[in-house]
Amino acid sequence: MKAQFLGTQEAETGAYKWFAARDAAMKSYAASTLYTDAQKLRAERMKLGLEMVYAAKSAFITYRKKFVTIKLDQARVCDRKTLAQFEKDYTAQGDITKVVTDQGITYRIARG
C-alpha cells in the first residue's frame, strides 16, 4: 500500500469554514451517484474496520470522482496487530492508498 504525507491545513473558523463544509458535502453527494451499492458497501465495511483499530474524533466517508475516502480525524492507533493485518489486506487489494496529514489519516479506494 502506498503511503503519503500531505501538509494541508483546515479552513479558518467562521463563515468560510461552514461554506467549505457545505460545498464538500454537496460534491460528495453528487459523486456518490457514480458508485454502485457494492462499492459503497465496501467503503462502509472498511470504515467500520478502521474504527475498530483507531481511536478518532470522527470517521466519515467522502465520495469523489476518482476515489472514495475514509477520513479519521485526529486518529490514534489502538490495536496495532489488527491494523497491520488490515493494511496487509489493503496492499493485496492494490487499489487502496493511505494518506497522513496533520488533520488525520485518510484511506483512499480508487474507483474502478
Side-chain angles (χ1 to χ4, degrees), residues 13 27-28 34-35 58 66 74 77 93 95 98 100 107:
T13 59
K27 287 180 179 179
S28 177
L34 303 173
Y35 293 89
S58 65
K66 296 184 180 182
Q74 300 174 6
V77 178
Q93 292 176 25
D95 61 346
K98 178 180 178 180
V100 179
Y107 287 85

Side-chain angles (χ1 to χ4, degrees), residues 91-107:
T91 302
Q93 292 176 25
D95 61 346
I96 299 172
T97 57
K98 178 180 178 180
V99 179
V100 179
T101 66
D102 292 335
Q103 299 169 3
I105 299 171
T106 302
Y107 287 85

Side-chain angles (χ1 to χ4, degrees), residues 15-91:
Y16 180 75
K17 186 174 184 176
W18 186 84
F19 287 121
R22 295 300 304 158
D23 184 54
M26 290 298 294
K27 287 180 179 179
S28 177
Y29 176 75
S32 73
T33 62
L34 303 173
Y35 293 89
T36 65
D37 289 340
Q39 291 170 319
K40 292 177 185 179
L41 182 62
R42 179 181 180 205
E44 188 64 39
R45 286 181 178 165
M46 188 172 167
K47 177 185 159 223
L48 292 173
L50 291 171
E51 286 176 327
M52 290 189 318
V53 297
Y54 283 105
K57 181 179 176 183
S58 65
F60 52 91
I61 298 172
T62 305
Y63 296 93
R64 302 196 182 163
K65 291 180 183 178
K66 296 184 180 182
F67 53 86
V68 178
T69 65
I70 296 100
K71 183 173 182 181
L72 304 155
D73 279 338
Q74 300 174 6
R76 184 177 50 85
V77 178
C78 291
D79 186 354
R80 292 188 187 282
K81 184 177 179 182
T82 306
L83 177 61
Q85 291 173 344
F86 282 161
E87 289 188 347
K88 183 179 177 183
D89 185 44
Y90 299 157
T91 302

